[in-house]
Amino acid sequence: MYIIIFIGNGIILHIIRIDPVLHQPMYFLLAMLALVELGVCASTVPTVLGIFLFGIHGISFGGCLLQMFSMHSFTLMESGVLLAMSVDRFVAIYSPLRYTTILTIPRIAGMGATIALRSVMLMLPLLFLLKGLPFCGHNTLTHSYCLHSDLIKLPCADTHPNSILGLFVVISTFGLDSLLIVVSYMLILHTVLGIASGAGRWRALNTCVSHICAVLVYYVPMISLSLFHRFGRHLPPLLQTIMANAYLFFPPMVNPIVYSIKTKEIRNSIVRTLSRKRNEV
């Protein structure tokens, strides 16, 4: 899975970088998505591969906090990028003639910087709250990486402030982002229904298919894992572990494949690059 994730997202980033045809807002946002997905997976590499390849079952407290901070920060960024991509699709369908004048490169860069800053600023208080708590006895994590929801079960002190702040972070990011994505698609659907020809409506909706798939593969495992944590305490630990790994690894593994298959420009660019390399050889 790691090999597929790093190669797939690496190819997407490389193709967008070298092909001038792909230097458009939609593909710059796709590059952001690939970058944050690589960040999420890279954050888990030390513990996941340490456990499965070398049998290393321990991690320092500082290392655990760093992993939690980086992994959750990139996950929050992923949610923000998916929201930005839904805005991109709305602008492209609602006002196609003004698309490149509305979503300029500086605005795309500003969106990326805002998403990154929001994620880091929301995660920093959680980091400092955990750092100030006492941890007693033998501490065992449920998963092969450090999740905030897992860590706050371990301290021998009151963790209500951590739980309340964590809930606020979830609502103000995943909750708000998912709500705004739904609103944007309601506006997209309203705009598409106003298009006179059936072929035009289909073309407009077809440009959103890849993004809809990305949203589903991101939010469905996340919601499933949250439900498992809330109501599935009696379920086998193996099932919880599988769900937790699916939540982290499924989206970055599937998205490059979906975008390569469903997005004609990406597919054509990959074919052109491979043909060029073959001719050079």
Side-chain angles (χ1 to χ4, degrees):
M1 289 177 79
Y2 271 127
I3 290 168
I4 294 170
I5 287 165
F6 283 110
I7 290 177
N9 286 284
I11 288 172
I12 293 289
L13 286 169
H14 178 66
I15 289 297
I16 292 171
R17 184 180 66 85
I18 65 169
D19 194 340
V21 175
L22 301 180
H23 292 177
Q24 299 177 40
M26 173 185 173
Y27 303 110
F28 287 135
L29 289 170
L30 177 58
M32 284 186 203
L33 182 66
L35 199 60
V36 297
E37 287 180 338
L38 286 175
V40 171
C41 291
S43 301
T44 66
V45 165
T47 51
V48 173
L49 293 189
I51 290 167
F52 287 106
L53 296 184
F54 307 109
I56 301 170
H57 291 273
I59 185 172
S60 68
F61 180 57
C64 194
L65 287 181
L66 179 62
Q67 184 182 57
M68 181 207 78
F69 176 77
S70 61
M71 189 178 66
H72 282 305
S73 294
F74 281 117
T75 306
L76 296 181
M77 289 180 207
E78 192 172 355
S79 175
V81 172
L82 288 172
L83 173 59
M85 293 174 84
S86 71
V87 173
D88 166 82
R89 291 299 81 210
F90 170 68
V91 174
I93 291 171
Y94 182 75
S95 187
L97 297 179
R98 298 177 58 216
Y99 174 64
T100 52
T101 57
I102 294 172
L103 292 176
T104 59
I105 302 303
R107 282 179 182 162
I108 294 294
M111 289 165 70
T114 302
I115 290 166
L117 185 63
R118 180 191 73 163
S119 303
V120 171
M121 294 305 292
L122 285 171
M123 281 306 302
L124 276 174
L126 291 174
L127 187 70
F128 288 116
L129 277 176
L130 269 174
K131 194 171 176 60
L133 291 172
F135 286 78
C136 313
H138 183 68
N139 299 304
T140 304
L141 296 171
T142 308
H143 307 298
S144 50
Y145 42 80
C146 299
L147 282 175
H148 179 260
S149 58
D150 211 3
L151 279 172
I152 60 173
K153 298 173 185 175
L154 303 179
C156 45
D158 182 27
T159 58
H160 278 95
N162 305 69
S163 299
I164 293 168
L165 186 56
L167 182 62
F168 170 75
V169 171
V170 169
I171 292 171
S172 61
T173 53
F174 303 127
L176 183 60
D177 291 349
S178 59
L179 177 63
L180 292 175
I181 288 171
V182 170
V183 170
S184 69
Y185 270 98
M186 288 172 64
L187 293 172
I188 286 170
L189 191 59
H190 177 73
T191 305
V192 167
L193 292 175
I195 298 173
S197 68
R201 286 197 292 270
W202 171 248
R203 275 197 306 272
L205 285 174
N206 198 41
T207 63
C208 301
V209 170
S210 298
H211 179 255
I212 292 170
C213 290
V215 170
L216 290 176
V217 300
Y218 178 76
Y219 280 103
V220 170
M222 180 195 296
I223 294 167
S224 301
L225 182 62
S226 299
L227 292 174
F228 270 111
H229 273 295
R230 292 287 178 187
F231 309 109
R233 297 183 187 277
H234 61 284
L235 293 172
L238 178 61
L239 190 58
Q240 295 185 35
T241 303
I242 290 170
M243 284 304 305
N245 286 323
Y247 155 63
L248 276 186
F249 298 123
F250 190 61
M253 186 178 72
V254 170
N255 283 338
I257 298 170
V258 170
Y259 273 96
S260 299
I261 294 171
K262 290 298 297 176
T263 308
K264 190 171 99 173
E265 290 78 7
I266 294 282
R267 189 170 65 248
N268 291 344
S269 182
I270 292 172
V271 170
R272 282 197 302 270
T273 303
L274 290 175
S275 300
R276 198 181 307 125
K277 295 289 183 185
R278 195 184 301 115
N279 292 335
E280 288 173 2
V281 172

PDB file of all heavy atoms in Angstrom, residues 14 21 57-58 96 101 118 120 134 161 183 218 248 263:
ATOM      1  N   HIS A  14       4.477  14.845 -10.333  1.00  0.00           N
ATOM      2  CA  HIS A  14       5.457  15.010 -11.413  1.00  0.00           C
ATOM      3  C   HIS A  14       4.784  15.434 -12.717  1.00  0.00           C
ATOM      4  O   HIS A  14       5.257  16.354 -13.399  1.00  0.00           O
ATOM      5  CB  HIS A  14       6.210  13.693 -11.616  1.00  0.00           C
ATOM      6  CG  HIS A  14       7.214  13.736 -12.724  1.00  0.00           C
ATOM      7  ND1 HIS A  14       8.346  14.525 -12.672  1.00  0.00           N
ATOM      8  CD2 HIS A  14       7.231  13.103 -13.941  1.00  0.00           C
ATOM      9  CE1 HIS A  14       9.041  14.364 -13.795  1.00  0.00           C
ATOM     10  NE2 HIS A  14       8.381  13.512 -14.572  1.00  0.00           N
ATOM     11  N   VAL A  21       0.044  22.059 -19.872  1.00  0.00           N
ATOM     12  CA  VAL A  21      -1.402  21.935 -20.069  1.00  0.00           C
ATOM     13  C   VAL A  21      -2.119  21.812 -18.722  1.00  0.00           C
ATOM     14  O   VAL A  21      -3.275  22.241 -18.576  1.00  0.00           O
ATOM     15  CB  VAL A  21      -1.717  20.700 -20.956  1.00  0.00           C
ATOM     16  CG1 VAL A  21      -3.213  20.474 -21.075  1.00  0.00           C
ATOM     17  CG2 VAL A  21      -1.098  20.874 -22.340  1.00  0.00           C
ATOM     18  N   HIS A  57       8.071  -2.220  18.933  1.00  0.00           N
ATOM     19  CA  HIS A  57       6.739  -1.928  19.466  1.00  0.00           C
ATOM     20  C   HIS A  57       6.723  -0.773  20.465  1.00  0.00           C
ATOM     21  O   HIS A  57       5.772  -0.628  21.219  1.00  0.00           O
ATOM     22  CB  HIS A  57       6.159  -3.185  20.129  1.00  0.00           C
ATOM     23  CG  HIS A  57       5.830  -4.266  19.144  1.00  0.00           C
ATOM     24  ND1 HIS A  57       4.619  -4.354  18.487  1.00  0.00           N
ATOM     25  CD2 HIS A  57       6.582  -5.289  18.679  1.00  0.00           C
ATOM     26  CE1 HIS A  57       4.634  -5.398  17.678  1.00  0.00           C
ATOM     27  NE2 HIS A  57       5.813  -5.988  17.775  1.00  0.00           N
ATOM     28  N   GLY A  58       7.777   0.038  20.459  1.00  0.00           N
ATOM     29  CA  GLY A  58       7.832   1.170  21.385  1.00  0.00           C
ATOM     30  C   GLY A  58       8.098   2.477  20.665  1.00  0.00           C
ATOM     31  O   GLY A  58       8.646   2.502  19.556  1.00  0.00           O
ATOM     32  N   PRO A  96     -17.934  29.463 -16.139  1.00  0.00           N
ATOM     33  CA  PRO A  96     -16.762  28.903 -16.848  1.00  0.00           C
ATOM     34  C   PRO A  96     -15.918  29.954 -17.573  1.00  0.00           C
ATOM     35  O   PRO A  96     -14.697  29.800 -17.677  1.00  0.00           O
ATOM     36  CB  PRO A  96     -17.401  27.922 -17.846  1.00  0.00           C
ATOM     37  CG  PRO A  96     -18.827  28.333 -17.963  1.00  0.00           C
ATOM     38  CD  PRO A  96     -19.202  28.930 -16.653  1.00  0.00           C
ATOM     39  N   THR A 101      -9.988  33.774 -14.210  1.00  0.00           N
ATOM     40  CA  THR A 101      -9.823  35.116 -13.624  1.00  0.00           C
ATOM     41  C   THR A 101     -10.253  35.138 -12.155  1.00  0.00           C
ATOM     42  O   THR A 101      -9.763  35.953 -11.375  1.00  0.00           O
ATOM     43  CB  THR A 101     -10.635  36.165 -14.411  1.00  0.00           C
ATOM     44  OG1 THR A 101     -12.011  35.792 -14.436  1.00  0.00           O
ATOM     45  CG2 THR A 101     -10.111  36.289 -15.835  1.00  0.00           C
ATOM     46  N   ARG A 118      -4.536  26.992   9.191  1.00  0.00           N
ATOM     47  CA  ARG A 118      -5.668  26.571  10.018  1.00  0.00           C
ATOM     48  C   ARG A 118      -5.380  25.253  10.716  1.00  0.00           C
ATOM     49  O   ARG A 118      -5.625  25.098  11.925  1.00  0.00           O
ATOM     50  CB  ARG A 118      -6.928  26.444   9.157  1.00  0.00           C
ATOM     51  CG  ARG A 118      -8.160  26.008   9.930  1.00  0.00           C
ATOM     52  CD  ARG A 118      -9.336  25.632   9.032  1.00  0.00           C
ATOM     53  NE  ARG A 118      -9.168  24.362   8.343  1.00  0.00           N
ATOM     54  CZ  ARG A 118     -10.158  23.672   7.786  1.00  0.00           C
ATOM     55  NH1 ARG A 118     -11.398  24.149   7.818  1.00  0.00           N
ATOM     56  NH2 ARG A 118      -9.936  22.529   7.169  1.00  0.00           N
ATOM     57  N   VAL A 120      -2.456  23.740  11.412  1.00  0.00           N
ATOM     58  CA  VAL A 120      -1.380  23.816  12.410  1.00  0.00           C
ATOM     59  C   VAL A 120      -1.855  24.549  13.663  1.00  0.00           C
ATOM     60  O   VAL A 120      -1.597  24.109  14.789  1.00  0.00           O
ATOM     61  CB  VAL A 120      -0.147  24.516  11.800  1.00  0.00           C
ATOM     62  CG1 VAL A 120       0.892  24.813  12.877  1.00  0.00           C
ATOM     63  CG2 VAL A 120       0.473  23.645  10.703  1.00  0.00           C
ATOM     64  N   PRO A 134       0.163  14.032  33.128  1.00  0.00           N
ATOM     65  CA  PRO A 134       1.001  12.938  33.644  1.00  0.00           C
ATOM     66  C   PRO A 134       0.562  11.587  33.078  1.00  0.00           C
ATOM     67  O   PRO A 134      -0.627  11.276  33.043  1.00  0.00           O
ATOM     68  CB  PRO A 134       0.736  13.001  35.154  1.00  0.00           C
ATOM     69  CG  PRO A 134      -0.647  13.559  35.272  1.00  0.00           C
ATOM     70  CD  PRO A 134      -0.864  14.473  34.098  1.00  0.00           C
ATOM     71  N   PRO A 161     -10.660  18.710  29.202  1.00  0.00           N
ATOM     72  CA  PRO A 161     -10.286  19.824  28.311  1.00  0.00           C
ATOM     73  C   PRO A 161      -9.784  19.336  26.958  1.00  0.00           C
ATOM     74  O   PRO A 161     -10.110  19.928  25.923  1.00  0.00           O
ATOM     75  CB  PRO A 161      -9.172  20.547  29.088  1.00  0.00           C
ATOM     76  CG  PRO A 161      -9.441  20.220  30.516  1.00  0.00           C
ATOM     77  CD  PRO A 161      -9.973  18.817  30.505  1.00  0.00           C
ATOM     78  N   VAL A 183     -23.136  21.851   0.524  1.00  0.00           N
ATOM     79  CA  VAL A 183     -23.759  23.085   0.021  1.00  0.00           C
ATOM     80  C   VAL A 183     -23.259  23.397  -1.378  1.00  0.00           C
ATOM     81  O   VAL A 183     -24.045  23.750  -2.275  1.00  0.00           O
ATOM     82  CB  VAL A 183     -23.481  24.270   0.977  1.00  0.00           C
ATOM     83  CG1 VAL A 183     -23.902  25.595   0.334  1.00  0.00           C
ATOM     84  CG2 VAL A 183     -24.205  24.081   2.300  1.00  0.00           C
ATOM     85  N   TYR A 218     -12.645   9.595   1.404  1.00  0.00           N
ATOM     86  CA  TYR A 218     -12.065  10.269   2.569  1.00  0.00           C
ATOM     87  C   TYR A 218     -13.014  10.219   3.761  1.00  0.00           C
ATOM     88  O   TYR A 218     -12.614   9.849   4.875  1.00  0.00           O
ATOM     89  CB  TYR A 218     -11.752  11.724   2.219  1.00  0.00           C
ATOM     90  CG  TYR A 218     -11.196  12.534   3.369  1.00  0.00           C
ATOM     91  CD1 TYR A 218      -9.880  12.377   3.775  1.00  0.00           C
ATOM     92  CD2 TYR A 218     -11.985  13.460   4.056  1.00  0.00           C
ATOM     93  CE1 TYR A 218      -9.357  13.103   4.827  1.00  0.00           C
ATOM     94  CE2 TYR A 218     -11.479  14.192   5.115  1.00  0.00           C
ATOM     95  CZ  TYR A 218     -10.159  14.022   5.491  1.00  0.00           C
ATOM     96  OH  TYR A 218      -9.654  14.745   6.540  1.00  0.00           O
ATOM     97  N   LEU A 248      -6.659   5.757   7.052  1.00  0.00           N
ATOM     98  CA  LEU A 248      -5.447   6.501   6.689  1.00  0.00           C
ATOM     99  C   LEU A 248      -4.938   6.172   5.296  1.00  0.00           C
ATOM    100  O   LEU A 248      -4.490   7.054   4.567  1.00  0.00           O
ATOM    101  CB  LEU A 248      -4.337   6.206   7.699  1.00  0.00           C
ATOM    102  CG  LEU A 248      -4.330   7.013   8.992  1.00  0.00           C
ATOM    103  CD1 LEU A 248      -3.096   6.701   9.796  1.00  0.00           C
ATOM    104  CD2 LEU A 248      -4.402   8.506   8.720  1.00  0.00           C
ATOM    105  N   THR A 263      -9.873  11.416 -15.167  1.00  0.00           N
ATOM    106  CA  THR A 263      -9.543  12.754 -15.668  1.00  0.00           C
ATOM    107  C   THR A 263      -8.745  12.617 -16.963  1.00  0.00           C
ATOM    108  O   THR A 263      -7.594  12.159 -16.954  1.00  0.00           O
ATOM    109  CB  THR A 263      -8.730  13.549 -14.617  1.00  0.00           C
ATOM    110  OG1 THR A 263      -9.433  13.519 -13.371  1.00  0.00           O
ATOM    111  CG2 THR A 263      -8.556  14.989 -15.049  1.00  0.00           C
TER     112      THR A 263
END
